[in-house]
Amino acid sequence: MTDQAEGYTTADGRKIGGVVMEMKNITLRFGGVVAIHNISFDIREGEIRAIIGPNGAGKSSMLNVISGFYTPSEGEVWYKGAKRPPMKPYEVARQGVARTFQNIALFEGMSVLDNVMTGRLTHMKAGILPQMIWKGRAEAEETENRIIAERVIDFLEIQHIRKTPVARLPYGLKKRVELARALAAEPTILLLDEPMAGMNVEEKEDMCRFILDVNDEFGTTIALIEHDMGVVMDLSDRVVVMDYGKKIGDGSPDEVRNNQDVIDAYLGVQH
Amino acid sequence: MAQTQTGVGGLRSVPALLRRNASEFGTAPAYREKEFGIWQSWTWAETADEIEALALGLLNLGVKEGDFIAIIGRNRPYLYWTMTAAQMVGAVPVPMYQDAVAEEMAYVLEHCGARFAVVSDQEQVDKVIEVQDRLHQFEHLIYLDPRGLRKYDHSHLHQYSHVQNQGRAARDEWITELRAREAKLDYDSRAVMLYTSGTTGKPKGVVLSNRNVIESAKSSCAFDNLTRSDDVLAYLPMAWVGDFIFSIGQAYWTGFCVNCPENPETMMQDLREIGPTYFFAPPRVFETLLTTVMIRMEDAGRFKKRMFDKYMAVARRVGPAILDGKPVSFGDRLSYAIGNLLVYGPLKNTMGFSRVRVGYTAGEAIGPEIFEFYRSLGINLKQLYGQTEATVFITAQPDGEVRSDTVGVPSPGVELKIAENGEVFYRSPGVFVEYYKNPESTASTKDAEGWVATGDAGFIEEGSGHLRIIDRAKDVGKMADGSLFAPKYVENKLKFYPNILEAVVFGNGRDRCAAFINIDLAAVSSWAERNNIAYASYQELAGHPKVLEMVQSHVEEVNRSVAEDSMLAGCQVHRFVVLHKELDADDGELTRTRKVRRRIIEEKYADIIAALYDGSKTVSTRTEVTYEDGRKGYISATLDVRDAKVVPVASRMAAE
């Protein structure tokens, strides 16, 4: 894939740019268990890239490698044209990679607004003291961050729960708040770990709409893991398919759908 | 209030009022809207500037005098400005219901022949585009929120702010034309066209002139002493005449501030933050609010619950009298004051009614218990009777003469007369010009002398001079035995129960009455939770035996209360069904202002009505439903038909 010409244009006329992140021969081992075996793929600027595969295929591990939570045992992660040294997750976040989690990880006791504001933490530069006495830079920064947080709240239509503690919210809204927090970081790449899991049809439709709008309005590159095949095929520009830690397919939704290995992995074959 | 008072001083159109406000109190707030968590506000001078820029932009796009401009969206200052900008360029604004499905929109757009539409967002743009090829005259679509619209073909699609910018840029070119068109506006030019929701048949376009709007606003403001320091919350559909009169007519006349909520879901929070002094709501809003309060109190701790019950009893006993300024003993005043400190004050604050000076309910009869509840808290809630054709006001209750069973005395300038069959007629400066492109209907509604038929049956109470409305004239009927059938009367009694959202009573020409009931999901689900009743869907909850039992007990209580009135005792509900779906405006069962459309319901659910009268125990039915995007689907259900105990009328009369 990497030797392709710079970018391409999608069927609906969106311009997809050059490679923004590239995974080169990634292998991840936990002791004797090989979670990811020699996988390479790239993510291009402005595209929606899906990672799919049966349970235990290593999708979440792959997302964790991208977000810096795991350091690959072998292989390299290239980001914006440079090789990324081993990093802590918060350093990766500062570079512009934000994520949501499969099992919602919000601050339950805090309000929606405060949760969204935490998404701005990587952008706050004022020290502890100015923050405490609320003077100078800290104040200006907070105002600026609040504006961005409010725009995200408006974008995701969660104004009515702005001041509601997250613990009181239903599941579907929590998922949306998590997306809001990730968006507040104004990421270059947004990683979504099963954004639709456990949602009803209506909530899924809303979430799809939001993902497309985020990609469309902010030009955010999105990498997502999802089990709902309908959703994946509708949303994504390109799909990586994993099975038992190996890459068994990569390409447009149509290509992947007709790939025999993929069909076997999902429907099972006699060994 | 140093306001130029008469129409003679040049104030003969809505744009003229705007110019006056901008020059006389340009720095006072005219509009507020919460956006990005902050209340943004515009002064009258800024408002005039924004409106002028839009008007110039519209001229630039080629709006002609006499054009109709459709306006579709939720209450936002920008859309209110569009109304005035349209008037400025000699066009007629046509606000439409934003929740209307594309089909309904097509009818109105075609009927008025709109060449332009100003809409809020992608959802509305999609709807208009969907029906656009059927509208040969339609030309330009202007939208507010660009989200999701980037990839649309923009040859006939414009962003609101761009239209304004183009207007500003082309100011020199168009300003003379704008001034000339504005100067031509007078008392008789069309100010707005509003489509009536129509409980029967297709909607009709009611044309209102500047005279209608300004005269009605003027006299109603005087009636309630509304001033520039008042605040209203604009949250009712813009297509409804009430919203037009409050948010444009009265606001422009007095210069008070119109506040727009952030979005529909935040309405209650915004209401609290603004604390309007002048508030208007259909009974349903008050019912819902009361239901919410009651649910919360059911869940409250024992101490709070007892305190609430104790002081609400005090309020019910003396609250309305205190509000009306009638003599009340010192002891009662004292306990009311304590109650105010502990219960009423905080409760009013929670509901956002702390500052309400004048509150109105209209559109439908309000349950006396609901009405009394708010009045007993010290909220000056009054009733008003009006319709689109009258530019709202027919009768209203003056302070100190408020009762739940009347709709008040004729508003200033209104004459009333009751026809022989009991139908109410009125004549006033607010009487509409005509139904657009419908001279037959105009003639059958408004006679040569200017008297308008309301379609409601009522009578003027002797002594007080208040008007009392019995029911829609055509709904009032006779039972088979000749006794009076007034469905609304019974339905209102049923709807007072928080668990019952909607009721439809049948019985005209039959030997006994039967009813459809809709449960209130919020109230019943909370009740189900407290009683450990599991359910998966609205349908399952509505059909649960425990729920049916509860509804049955409500129906029987209503029967007992109806039986007390010998004239209406025949209207007791003998059998009823709890419907498996909520009656919905999208399915045509309610109007957009949520009034029941009896004829349509009777046709659609003919099978269930048959079951109500043939004695069967259950009925299987399949109902078509329309989704918000216009797609259709079906719900199938088997419903229990229940018998309710009735108070035997004949024996009771014998005992007397």
Side-chain angles (χ1 to χ4, degrees):
Chain A
M1 278 292 189
T2 46
D3 51 24
Q4 262 182 12
E6 281 294 293
Y8 61 100
T9 309
T10 61
D12 58 351
R14 277 161 47 243
K15 291 261 184 300
I16 302 297
V19 172
V20 62
M21 182 173 268
E22 192 172 3
M23 320 302 287
K24 288 187 180 170
N25 308 97
I26 301 286
T27 296
L28 180 69
R29 287 190 206 93
F30 298 106
V33 181
V34 184
I36 301 175
H37 184 74
N38 193 24
I39 287 188
S40 304
F41 67 95
D42 61 0
I43 302 172
R44 286 170 180 274
E45 202 177 337
E47 78 178 341
I48 300 180
R49 188 76 150 123
I51 305 173
I52 63 171
N55 281 332
K59 306 181 298 292
S60 287
S61 302
M62 183 50 95
L63 216 58
N64 283 331
V65 170
I66 300 177
S67 71
F69 189 70
Y70 295 148
T71 309
S73 319
E74 281 164 38
E76 295 167 353
V77 179
W78 284 65
Y79 180 59
K80 291 185 176 168
K83 187 181 162 191
R84 193 172 83 185
M87 272 185 178
K88 291 264 171 1
Y90 70 86
E91 292 169 318
V92 175
R94 261 193 201 149
Q95 283 195 335
V97 179
R99 71 170 295 179
T100 66
F101 297 85
Q102 192 175 348
N103 46 349
I104 303 169
L106 289 164
F107 302 101
E108 293 270 318
M110 283 170 24
S111 71
V112 167
L113 177 64
D114 288 339
N115 268 286
V116 177
M117 285 292 275
T118 58
R120 299 296 305 160
L121 273 180
T122 51
H123 295 261
M124 291 187 188
K125 294 185 183 68
I128 286 184
L129 199 61
Q131 297 258 21
M132 279 170 74
I133 58 171
W134 185 245
K135 277 279 170 242
R137 189 169 182 179
E139 199 181 341
E141 247 186 6
E142 168 106 4
T143 311
E144 195 185 302
N145 289 327
R146 174 73 187 266
I147 291 171
I148 292 162
E150 285 292 347
R151 285 193 185 276
V152 172
I153 286 173
D154 181 73
F155 190 83
L156 295 179
E157 292 162 17
I158 47 177
Q159 298 104 324
H160 60 294
I161 49 166
R162 188 186 278 127
K163 299 277 169 72
T164 313
V166 165
R168 293 228 315 254
L169 297 177
Y171 182 80
L173 275 177
K174 282 186 187 174
K175 280 271 189 195
R176 216 191 287 179
V177 174
E178 226 195 5
L179 178 61
R181 181 178 61 186
L183 275 184
E186 296 179 292
T188 312
I189 298 184
L190 180 62
L191 307 176
L192 304 174
D193 197 348
E194 298 202 16
M196 325 275 174
M199 284 189 169
N200 64 32
V201 178
E202 200 184 328
E203 287 169 333
K204 274 185 190 171
E205 278 178 5
D206 282 350
M207 190 51 103
C208 281
R209 191 75 251 153
F210 285 128
I211 291 173
L212 287 172
D213 280 353
V214 166
N215 177 256
D216 197 35
E217 291 288 303
F218 306 130
T220 312
T221 307
I222 294 170
L224 63 95
I225 294 178
E226 186 48 59
H227 272 301
D228 188 315
M229 277 307 126
V231 166
V232 170
M233 296 302 168
D234 272 0
L235 279 182
S236 36
D237 299 312
R238 289 191 301 153
V239 182
V240 178
V241 192
M242 292 175 69
D243 191 19
Y244 291 111
K246 293 185 185 122
K247 180 167 106 172
I248 57 170
D250 189 353
S252 72
D254 279 334
E255 286 165 27
V256 165
R257 198 179 291 144
N258 299 322
N259 181 325
Q260 193 54 46
D261 290 340
V262 177
I263 296 170
D264 292 347
Y266 270 88
L267 301 179
V269 280
Q270 272 189 315
H271 288 287
Chain B
M1 297 279 91
Q3 287 165 4
T4 331
Q5 282 299 329
T6 55
V8 194
L11 296 178
R12 300 179 75 83
S13 70
V14 175
L17 288 175
L18 172 71
R19 299 283 182 202
R20 179 204 63 183
N21 294 353
S23 68
E24 284 185 20
F25 36 90
T27 53
Y31 286 95
R32 287 194 201 104
E33 184 189 34
K34 198 171 183 187
E35 204 179 10
F36 303 127
I38 295 173
W39 285 97
Q40 324 274 348
S41 69
W42 291 267
T43 65
W44 280 105
E46 285 161 351
T47 301
D49 182 58
E50 296 277 355
I51 292 175
E52 192 178 279
L54 181 65
L56 291 165
L58 290 174
L59 285 180
N60 199 31
L61 277 178
V63 175
K64 297 204 216 47
E65 279 171 291
D67 272 352
F68 289 95
I69 299 184
I71 297 169
I72 316 165
R74 69 181 167 88
N75 314 67
R76 299 199 66 184
Y78 310 94
L79 294 182
Y80 285 115
W81 299 342
T82 309
M83 298 229 205
T84 318
Q87 291 162 344
M88 254 185 201
V89 298
V92 185
V94 185
M96 289 163 54
Y97 288 97
Q98 56 158 337
D99 51 357
V101 293
E103 253 340 280
E104 293 172 65
M105 259 178 204
Y107 175 78
V108 172
L109 286 173
E110 193 179 354
H111 184 257
C112 70
R115 286 174 57 219
F116 292 79
V118 181
V119 306
S120 57
D121 53 15
Q122 186 185 15
E123 183 189 342
Q124 309 296 344
V125 169
D126 286 346
K127 279 196 267 186
V128 177
I129 289 179
E130 189 187 325
V131 298
Q132 197 176 5
D133 34 331
R134 272 184 273 163
L135 312 166
H136 52 92
Q137 83 294 338
F138 192 81
E139 285 177 26
H140 294 281
L141 189 55
I142 300 168
Y143 60 84
L144 275 179
D145 186 355
R147 177 169 168 192
L149 290 168
R150 199 150 303 190
K151 284 177 285 186
Y152 283 51
D153 170 18
H154 271 66
S155 51
H156 293 281
L157 191 61
H158 314 268
Q159 193 175 344
Y160 188 94
S161 56
H162 293 177
V163 175
Q164 280 187 316
N165 289 341
Q166 283 161 3
R168 287 194 179 99
R171 187 187 161 86
D172 293 342
E173 190 182 334
W174 290 110
I175 191 74
T176 334
E177 171 73 14
L178 181 65
R179 294 269 186 260
R181 288 202 193 177
E182 229 184 302
K184 267 191 258 173
L185 298 174
D186 62 14
Y187 244 28
D188 290 316
S189 36
R190 293 165 174 171
V192 68
M193 181 155 87
L194 300 155
Y195 277 82
T196 56
S197 44
T199 40
T200 48
K202 288 280 185 194
K204 289 179 281 197
V206 180
V207 177
L208 298 178
S209 65
N210 280 311
R211 180 199 313 278
N212 298 149
V213 174
I214 295 175
E215 289 285 336
S216 299
K218 188 164 102 181
S219 48
S220 55
C221 289
F223 185 78
D224 281 314
N225 300 316
L226 299 177
T227 68
R228 208 198 310 164
S229 56
D230 281 309
D231 268 299
V232 295
L233 187 75
Y235 70 100
L236 291 163
M238 287 183 72
W240 180 58
V241 65
D243 187 64
F244 183 80
I245 289 303
F246 305 130
S247 307
I248 302 253
Q250 295 183 333
Y252 278 49
W253 179 258
T254 61
F256 64 60
C257 181
V258 175
N259 302 280
C260 299
E262 189 165 18
N263 69 21
E265 286 89 63
T266 62
M267 185 270 184
M268 287 313 297
Q269 293 159 29
D270 297 333
L271 179 68
R272 249 187 103 176
E273 287 173 12
I274 287 297
T277 56
Y278 177 40
F279 185 70
F280 197 97
R284 187 177 287 260
V285 170
F286 290 108
E287 282 168 28
T288 315
L289 204 52
L290 178 58
T291 308
T292 325
V293 169
M294 289 307 178
I295 293 172
R296 294 276 295 271
M297 284 321 298
E298 289 295 331
D299 291 341
R302 205 188 298 162
F303 175 71
K304 280 188 186 163
K305 177 94 173 79
R306 279 185 61 182
M307 187 164 79
F308 178 78
D309 289 342
K310 176 176 157 55
Y311 283 105
M312 281 317 296
V314 173
R316 268 193 294 278
R317 205 176 68 235
V318 299
I322 291 177
L323 193 60
D324 287 341
K326 290 181 185 142
V328 172
S329 77
F330 177 75
D332 281 342
R333 275 184 193 278
L334 189 67
S335 35
Y336 189 83
I338 296 172
N340 195 32
L341 201 66
L342 296 174
V343 179
Y344 327 138
L347 184 57
K348 279 194 283 187
N349 190 24
T350 310
M351 297 190 291
F353 291 157
S354 295
R355 290 172 61 210
V356 171
R357 209 162 52 76
V358 184
Y360 273 115
T361 167
E364 279 206 66
I366 187 167
E369 294 85 353
I370 302 168
F371 192 65
E372 290 299 319
F373 172 83
Y374 289 99
R375 293 215 34 106
S376 68
L377 291 178
I379 297 164
N380 187 17
L381 182 62
K382 309 197 282 183
Q383 294 203 75
L384 179 146
Y385 173 63
Q387 43 176 218
T388 311
E389 287 83 347
T391 325
V392 182
F393 303 95
I394 300 176
T395 65
Q397 295 179 323
D399 288 342
E401 293 181 39
V402 181
R403 284 160 42 193
S404 62
D405 55 351
T406 79
V407 291
V409 298
S411 297
V414 179
E415 299 167 79
L416 278 187
K417 81 176 178 195
I418 310 290
E420 270 177 22
N421 65 355
E423 188 169 352
V424 180
F425 285 74
Y426 64 91
R427 183 161 71 175
S428 76
V431 166
F432 72 119
V433 180
E434 59 169 352
Y435 291 124
Y436 185 63
K437 288 206 262 188
N438 195 346
E440 303 92 62
S441 287
T442 309
S444 66
T445 311
K446 185 166 84 160
D447 69 14
E449 291 169 38
W451 289 97
V452 180
T454 58
D456 288 326
F459 61 93
I460 293 171
E461 204 176 62
E462 280 175 40
S464 67
H466 279 240
L467 178 68
R468 284 181 69 166
I469 298 293
I470 308 170
D471 206 331
R472 293 287 299 167
K474 61 178 184 311
D475 289 343
V476 178
K478 290 261 188 289
M479 310 280 299
D481 62 358
S483 61
L484 187 68
F485 171 67
K488 190 103 255 177
Y489 178 79
V490 184
E491 286 162 13
N492 285 335
K493 277 187 183 292
L494 284 166
K495 278 157 64 177
F496 170 62
Y497 295 94
N499 295 326
I500 298 179
L501 182 71
E502 196 62 72
V504 189
V505 174
F506 307 96
N508 197 13
R510 297 179 190 263
D511 57 344
R512 56 210 171 114
C513 288
F516 282 178
I517 303 225
N518 257 176
I519 55 165
D520 184 316
L521 187 59
V524 178
S525 65
S526 148
W527 170 86
E529 205 172 297
R530 271 180 281 117
N531 290 283
N532 287 325
I533 292 171
Y535 64 96
S537 63
Y538 178 88
Q539 193 177 337
E540 190 179 338
L541 184 64
H544 197 283
K546 283 267 180 58
V547 173
L548 294 178
E549 247 166 58
M550 177 179 68
V551 172
Q552 178 157 5
S553 70
H554 294 335
V555 173
E556 284 165 2
E557 269 175 64
V558 167
N559 282 345
R560 278 194 288 279
S561 138
V562 170
E564 280 165 23
D565 190 327
S566 56
M567 225 168 76
L568 292 162
C571 298
Q572 293 182 63
V573 176
H574 289 248
R575 279 159 72 77
F576 72 93
V577 153
V578 174
L579 287 184
H580 52 299
K581 77 174 268 292
E582 248 181 65
L583 297 174
D584 199 314
D586 287 346
D587 295 326
E589 295 154 342
L590 303 178
T591 67
R592 288 281 159 208
T593 46
R594 303 198 63 90
K595 287 182 200 152
V596 167
R597 281 176 151 153
R598 283 172 206 288
R599 256 206 1 236
I600 291 171
I601 294 175
E602 266 173 47
E603 278 168 27
K604 187 164 176 180
Y605 296 102
D607 51 342
I608 307 182
I609 296 178
L612 279 170
Y613 285 98
D614 68 11
S616 45
K617 287 271 168 240
T618 59
V619 53
S620 296
T621 186
R622 197 166 104 102
T623 313
E624 188 184 74
V625 291
T626 313
Y627 298 109
E628 251 173 59
D629 58 3
R631 279 182 295 167
K632 294 194 191 289
Y634 287 92
I635 305 182
S636 305
T638 302
L639 306 175
D640 278 2
V641 183
R642 289 233 168 186
D643 291 303
K645 270 204 247 11
V646 291
V647 180
V649 184
S651 65
R652 205 175 71 96
M653 281 169 117
E656 272 170 2

